[in-house]
Amino acid sequence: MNELRMYVEHLFEGKVLTSENIELKEEIYGNLMARYQDYLADGMSEDEALKKTKESVPSIDDVLSPDGELSEDGGSDTRRLDADDAASSAPTQVMDSPSGDSSSDEKARVAGAPVPPMEADVQQAGTSKAPRKKWPVVVGIAAAAVLVLGGLWVAMNMFVEPAVDRVEDTVANVQDITQGNSGGNAGNNAGNSGQTPTFTDPEDQREYEATTALMQEIEDSTADLLQIYAGRAMSSEVADLAAELPLGAHRREAGLDDTATGVAYIDYTEVSEDIDGDAIDLALAYNATAIFSVYPDISMVRVTLQEANDSQWDADTYVFERTSLESSFTSVSDGLVTQLNGSLFESTDAWSQVKGYLDRVEFAERVVDRAETN
């Protein structure tokens, strides 16, 4: 779990979360990661980029109203047209007769004959105003309606769906809670003290706790562990390493395939179905990366993962190939990491950088999707 991941988790501490809010949290995290990478690409240092990224979303309170519901206006300032101004029109101007003398025409006209339109306008000029046209009023009202709807659309996209650019899912029924007190102030204090978030849905609660536990395993896996096992691969050592990597508590068996050279295998069983799929992907990609880095003579890692309550026929199988994973790292690191070997865990900083690449948005998901065979 990198520092941005932990920062996002901190934003949601002390909040009652729904399944939609979990998606909101991942959306915010993904956008923060993208913004962080943009800052790095602009030449900022890692510390400066991280600081600016965090400052862009100092709190999720901007998204939520005091009672935990989404804000409907998002703080927007809707502007309206003045229909009276739009409806105003210029007075009609009357043109003189082309001949400049209408007296002869009037004399020649038979008494009682209808007056032609132009002449009637000339006769009435100065004694009455031309009727005001109605179409400017209609146009003004329509324009005002368009502007109001446009303002509402902008407000919905900038504030209600929000925070970091493009969050599409709505969040409902979010409440601040505390231990023995659901008051807003007490809820904020609970968040500041690091209390585990409490969910209205027990299934969401289990998913959060199981997923957070696995993410913590990944965070706690260090370069020091890999240095202990560095060297030529032996079946028993591969098995021991697999037991200490994330998901190690679910390892049924692991080692080297006796029928194929350079192939390691790990079978996981009774994996909790409450763990979020993205966390599973990250753990599998991390473990494959660690094994390839520790044992340069291993070219393939075959993984079987069986969830609790599933039969062996429902197990997911994956085949991670060294060349494919190295190609993915070459791309995501812009050529900084082209081979998986011991140089990647010579120091804590070096291995942290590798973990940072793994934690990039959708990187682990693409790696695991490529490796999946069923």
Side-chain angles (χ1 to χ4, degrees):
M1 186 184 297
N2 61 21
E3 189 166 346
L4 274 181
R5 169 68 72 176
M6 298 186 72
Y7 178 71
V8 174
E9 293 292 338
H10 172 72
L11 290 178
F12 283 82
E13 286 181 350
K15 306 293 182 183
V16 174
L17 304 178
T18 63
S19 57
E20 290 85 357
N21 204 24
I22 293 176
E23 296 181 15
L24 169 64
K25 179 173 65 177
E26 293 304 316
E27 292 273 2
I28 291 178
Y29 170 69
N31 282 285
L32 286 179
M33 283 298 300
R35 180 168 296 187
Y36 174 70
Q37 297 302 325
D38 289 342
Y39 287 149
L40 291 180
D42 291 340
M44 288 188 185
S45 66
E46 291 186 0
D47 290 342
E48 185 180 3
L50 186 61
K51 179 181 177 182
K52 289 202 65 174
T53 301
K54 289 181 178 179
E55 290 174 349
S56 67
V57 183
S59 170
I60 62 171
D61 291 339
D62 295 337
V63 186
L64 306 175
S65 64
D67 61 356
E69 298 292 341
L70 277 178
S71 172
E72 294 183 357
D73 59 5
S76 66
D77 181 15
T78 304
R79 299 181 180 178
R80 292 180 170 80
L81 251 168
D82 186 339
D84 292 337
D85 291 343
S88 64
S89 59
T92 304
Q93 296 182 351
V94 181
M95 298 180 61
D96 293 336
S97 171
S99 63
D101 183 8
S102 63
S103 61
S104 60
D105 291 337
E106 292 178 358
K107 293 177 181 179
R109 186 177 306 114
V110 178
V115 180
M118 285 191 63
E119 294 184 12
D121 290 342
V122 173
Q123 292 174 5
Q124 296 177 2
T127 62
S128 64
K129 295 183 179 179
R132 176 173 293 183
K133 297 181 180 179
K134 296 182 178 180
W135 65 265
V137 178
V138 176
V139 171
I141 294 174
V146 170
L147 286 180
V148 170
L149 292 175
L152 291 175
W153 183 87
V154 170
M156 287 292 294
N157 283 273
M158 291 182 64
F159 298 97
V160 178
E161 299 178 4
V164 186
D165 301 336
R166 296 179 300 274
V167 180
E168 296 178 352
D169 295 315
T170 59
V171 182
N173 300 324
V174 182
Q175 303 173 343
D176 290 336
I177 69 101
T178 61
Q179 187 173 9
N181 190 333
S182 60
N185 293 333
N188 291 333
N189 293 334
N192 294 333
S193 65
Q195 178 181 339
T196 300
T198 301
F199 297 76
T200 57
D201 188 340
E203 182 177 345
D204 292 338
Q205 185 73 39
R206 293 194 304 271
E207 180 178 347
Y208 173 81
E209 292 175 358
T211 300
T212 301
L214 180 56
M215 295 297 293
Q216 192 62 50
E217 288 183 31
I218 299 172
E219 177 70 15
D220 293 340
S221 184
T222 65
D224 295 337
L225 171 66
L226 306 186
Q227 292 170 3
I228 295 173
Y229 289 93
R232 183 173 180 82
M234 297 180 62
S235 187
S236 60
E237 292 181 348
V238 172
D240 291 342
L241 175 58
E244 296 196 55
L245 290 174
L247 290 174
H250 302 283
R251 183 211 65 171
R252 175 168 52 192
E253 58 179 333
L256 295 177
D257 190 338
D258 295 334
T259 64
T261 303
V263 177
Y265 67 90
I266 308 175
D267 291 339
Y268 296 109
T269 186
E270 295 296 321
V271 176
S272 173
E273 60 185 10
D274 294 323
I275 301 176
D276 181 74
D278 290 339
I280 292 288
D281 288 347
L282 181 58
L284 293 178
Y286 177 85
N287 291 352
T289 300
I291 290 175
F292 284 140
S293 299
V294 172
Y295 303 118
D297 51 333
I298 291 181
S299 59
M300 181 183 297
V301 177
R302 188 179 67 246
V303 177
T304 302
L305 187 144
Q306 180 181 346
E307 291 186 342
N309 302 322
D310 282 350
S311 68
Q312 59 179 336
W313 311 112
D314 297 324
D316 297 322
T317 58
Y318 309 86
V319 175
F320 295 92
E321 297 181 353
R322 173 182 289 274
T323 55
S324 177
L325 191 52
E326 288 178 339
S327 176
S328 297
F329 270 101
T330 299
S331 177
V332 75
S333 68
D334 294 329
L336 295 178
V337 177
T338 59
Q339 291 184 329
L340 300 178
N341 53 40
S343 65
L344 301 181
F345 54 84
E346 287 181 345
S347 67
T348 299
D349 289 342
W351 189 241
S352 294
Q353 187 175 25
V354 173
K355 294 169 75 173
Y357 293 138
L358 282 166
D359 211 19
R360 292 271 181 99
V361 178
E362 296 183 356
F363 176 76
E365 180 182 356
R366 288 194 297 266
V367 167
V368 172
D369 285 347
R370 192 179 299 120
E372 189 168 9
T373 61
N374 63 338

